[in-house]
Amino acid sequence: MRILLHRADGVTEPWVRDFAELLPEAEVVVWQEGASIAPCDYAVLWMPPEALLAELAQVKAIFLTGAGADAILKYGDALPPVPIIRLGDAGMAIQMAEYVTYFVLRYFRRFDDYEQQARSGTWAQLAQHRKEDFSIGVMGMGVLGMGVIDALLPFGFPVRGWSRSPKQVDGVQCFSGAESLGEFLSGTRVLVCMLPLTPDTHNLLDRARLSLLPQGAYLINVARGGHVAEPDLLALVRSGHIAGAALDVFSEEPLPAAHPFWDEPRIGITPHISALTIRTESIRQMAGKIRALENGEPVADVVDRTRGY
């Protein structure tokens, strides 16, 4: 069995080492542009360059080292008609829940305001937000989205969820479909975006939809930068309609030095770290699925190409 490995960051040695331990029956071949590579049975990659696509012609399945599929589905019909399998949780759900919970509590408890006061030497207690008025809306109710919802529920916030298809979750007010998006947004004080990026969700959070959020709302985006129309968000923050945002993802990454987000103190910036891939857990998951495929067994987390996730 041969596995073709590509890492955009060039760090392949730890992956080769862990595959040797967790799937010793496999030979791992690191892709290098221009190098001659014998046909491989499986591919493990994330953001492959177009030049790599020719090496996928004979693979039985493509494994992604992340939860999203937009970085490979952009190649459309150039991809072979084989299963594309994304990571399940693989340790990402707890990280995402930690990130979102931190920024929710930071905004709710006004820690950003207190930090600003401290820098100016001001000692003053600020009025607290009312928890019953502090509704949190999570867009995207998959494995990662539900991890965030489960983390937030014990704090007693009103939690709302929006998804493409109808869902029922105890303790959560659920909305689904385009027809309910306006109602969902208009009642959401903190909006958490955890959607997959598809043609339907690209620039979904533009000026019109972000303006539906109540005055003083807050945005947390841990999904993809393409969901947010960045100039529209910046304008709404500067106007005061949106109090601020915590952004981990951007339309261009790394975020360019000249991007105006850097100069807006009400927008928190992190470098796409809300949920980092845990290598060993990811390889363990892929090894199990490869063995299942070799035995003709079904596997979970196969990407639906028509939906884009």
Side-chain angles (χ1 to χ4, degrees):
M1 183 196 306
R2 292 168 57 85
I3 296 175
L4 179 66
L5 173 68
H6 173 261
R7 294 285 303 166
D9 59 9
V11 181
T12 57
E13 185 177 341
W15 288 77
V16 173
R17 183 181 63 243
D18 286 353
F19 264 115
E21 178 182 347
L22 297 168
L23 195 67
E25 62 267 39
E27 175 191 359
V28 177
V29 180
V30 177
W31 181 82
Q32 293 180 335
E33 188 168 2
S36 178
I37 298 176
C40 293
D41 300 286
Y42 299 97
V44 174
L45 43 83
W46 174 239
M47 299 176 66
E50 191 170 3
L52 183 147
L53 300 184
E55 305 296 340
L56 303 179
Q58 298 186 50
V59 301
K60 303 174 187 176
I62 299 168
F63 286 86
L64 306 179
T65 57
D70 51 289
I72 189 168
L73 291 183
K74 67 182 181 182
Y75 291 119
D77 292 340
L79 297 171
V82 299
I84 298 174
I85 304 168
R86 57 182 174 81
L87 283 180
D89 180 354
M92 291 183 287
I94 186 63
Q95 296 179 68
M96 202 78 83
E98 291 167 349
Y99 185 100
V100 171
T101 300
Y102 168 79
F103 280 104
V104 167
L105 294 177
R106 176 180 168 84
Y107 177 47
F108 174 68
R109 293 294 305 273
R110 304 191 64 172
F111 291 137
D112 50 349
D113 294 326
Y114 283 118
E115 287 177 9
Q116 205 167 29
Q117 282 191 169
R119 285 193 292 270
S120 64
T122 301
W123 177 285
Q125 293 184 357
L126 303 173
Q128 290 187 330
H129 294 303
R130 285 163 42 93
K131 186 167 286 188
E132 55 267 35
D133 298 333
F134 207 83
S135 57
I136 303 170
V138 178
M139 300 184 77
M141 300 176 68
V143 172
L144 300 182
M146 285 307 304
V148 166
I149 287 173
D150 289 342
L152 292 171
L153 283 172
F155 289 100
F157 296 112
V159 177
R160 303 150 66 84
W162 184 84
S163 55
R164 173 174 171 165
S165 54
K167 295 182 182 293
Q168 288 186 330
V169 179
D170 290 344
V172 179
Q173 186 178 8
C174 296
F175 300 81
S176 63
E179 65 280 1
S180 73
L181 182 56
E183 182 184 0
F184 167 79
L185 292 172
S186 64
T188 294
R189 179 65 177 271
V190 178
L191 179 63
V192 183
C193 181
M194 304 194 68
L195 293 168
L197 184 61
T198 69
D200 290 337
T201 63
H202 186 265
N203 268 1
L204 181 66
L205 298 177
D206 58 8
R207 181 185 292 268
R209 295 186 183 92
L210 289 172
S211 295
L212 295 175
L213 295 168
Q215 181 78 23
Y218 193 86
L219 172 67
I220 301 172
N221 187 13
V222 291
R224 290 289 185 270
H227 291 117
V228 178
E230 293 177 347
D232 295 352
L233 171 62
L234 184 63
L236 289 170
V237 169
R238 287 177 171 171
S239 74
H241 182 79
I242 292 181
L247 306 179
D248 187 52
V249 288
F250 304 89
S251 58
E252 182 180 350
E253 296 180 6
L255 188 65
H259 198 289
F261 279 171
W262 290 113
D263 298 320
E264 177 47 68
R266 289 164 292 188
I267 294 179
I269 295 169
T270 53
H272 206 143
I273 49 78
S274 58
L276 299 173
T277 299
I278 299 176
R279 187 186 66 252
T280 302
E281 178 56 36
S282 300
I283 293 174
R284 182 177 291 109
Q285 187 179 121
M286 287 185 274
K289 290 177 179 178
I290 287 173
R291 289 192 177 107
L293 291 172
E294 289 291 296
N295 291 329
E297 301 168 0
V299 298
D301 305 309
V302 176
V303 172
D304 183 334
R305 299 193 193 200
T306 61
R307 290 191 171 191
Y309 57 91

